[in-house]
Amino acid sequence: MEIIGEKSEVCDEKQRTTLILLGLTDDPELQVQIIFLFLTYTLSLTGNMTIITLTFVDSHLKTPVYFFFKNVSLEISFTSSCIPRYLYSIATGDRVIAYNASVIQVSFTDLCGLTEFFLLATMSYDCYVAICKSLHSVTIMSNRVCRILIIFCWMAGLCVLIPPLSLGLNLKFCDSNKIDHFGCDAFPLLKISCSDTWLKEQMVIICAVLTLNMTLICVVLSYACIIKTILRFRSAQQRKKPFLTCSSHMRVVSITYGTCIFIYMNPTAKGEVTIKKVVSLLIFSVSSTLNSFIYTFRNNQVKKAFKDSMKKIALLSSKYERIYFFF
């Protein structure tokens, strides 16, 4: 991919290797308010790291559903690919990003985002097995099967990413190298390119729509079977437990699919991107924070594991204090 200077066939080394991120807004007052990004990012990091740590140390969280929770919590990588760089731009005013860094950011962000959809579809299947095939769930969702499914999710995300990414490597920037976004993303890059972007836009849209539709169909079919099974239960108490089992997953699915479907409702990259910037920012910050806390503080087993871990830490601290005072 070659970045060409404004109205010039040959550009200098600086223009060929750098891009400029315009960010969300130039309003100084609004820029100050964006400090909430730091708070939401910190909360997201704390929540996701809590899930990952608890699933490693607590024996009660060794089941398939928490194994998938742990992998979905790796979306901190998705958030960390853009938010820290944007916070750095706000703090220092340095909006220049190297071209190689922009390619890495787009690739990593899209890979993590695509993989999350396949992970959510896999988790819906796990909910189906836990409720509809409860007597055989241990056999069906063995540790080996869970590992294979996780590998499949990452490989599927990579396979979806490669075609549009390979086409995008040949973009040219004749008029501007300024990206109207807070991070490097496919549509903002296509918007400023002077290359013929029709095929590239269609490829991005096709890959996005296929991923959304395929994974959403898996989720809908899984929950259709779950609801059908739940309705067979006679008592309200019997129906309540299955809903609690998959309630966290249902909330995360609603947030994730809802925001992403909104972004791709307008398929033209040349169109207005202001609203999409705001929604993208919500996905990277607020959505990630909500997802992490849904998986932690809205889940009774995770809350219990968290309280037990805090008690163990407090007990160990008191023991060390006694040893310290003794010596």
Side-chain angles (χ1 to χ4, degrees), residues 11-154:
C11 57
D12 58 28
E13 185 67 19
K14 181 179 180 182
Q15 284 184 318
R16 284 193 292 114
T17 58
T18 59
L19 296 169
I20 299 173
L21 298 170
L22 296 182
L24 189 64
T25 177
D26 291 325
D27 187 352
E29 294 182 3
L30 189 59
Q31 291 281 23
V32 173
Q33 296 175 16
I34 297 180
I35 194 66
F36 92 94
L37 278 177
F38 177 76
L39 298 176
T40 55
Y41 176 67
T42 304
L43 290 173
S44 174
L45 197 65
T46 304
N48 284 295
M49 288 305 298
T50 299
I51 298 171
I52 294 171
T53 304
L54 289 176
T55 52
F56 273 115
V57 301
D58 195 285
S59 59
H60 296 95
L61 302 182
K62 300 295 182 182
T63 57
V65 63
Y66 296 106
F67 178 76
F68 292 123
F69 276 3
K70 177 173 61 179
N71 282 273
V72 172
S73 295
L74 292 174
E75 71 174 351
I76 54 173
S77 304
F78 174 72
T79 307
S80 298
S81 63
C82 281
I83 296 300
R85 179 64 181 81
Y86 184 40
L87 290 172
Y88 171 79
S89 298
I90 296 173
T92 63
D94 181 10
R95 298 182 176 184
V96 177
I97 183 172
Y99 167 68
N100 291 337
S102 69
V103 172
I104 294 172
Q105 187 180 93
V106 171
S107 303
F108 195 69
T109 302
D110 290 351
L111 176 61
C112 292
L114 290 166
T115 303
E116 184 176 356
F117 284 105
F118 288 102
L119 283 170
L120 290 174
T122 304
M123 290 177 69
S124 68
Y125 174 71
D126 177 61
C127 290
Y128 160 75
V129 172
I131 295 171
C132 303
K133 306 287 183 181
S134 56
L135 296 177
H136 306 284
S137 60
V138 177
T139 305
I140 296 173
M141 299 299 291
S142 62
N143 290 334
R144 181 174 176 274
V145 171
C146 290
R147 285 193 291 268
I148 291 173
L149 288 172
I150 292 298
I151 294 171
F152 167 78
C153 289
W154 283 98

Side-chain angles (χ1 to χ4, degrees), residues 29 42 48 72 130-131 149 160 190 193 240 281 298 316:
E29 294 182 3
T42 304
N48 284 295
V72 172
I131 295 171
L149 288 172
V160 174
L190 292 174
S193 174
K240 183 179 179 180
L281 190 64
R298 295 294 298 175
L316 287 173

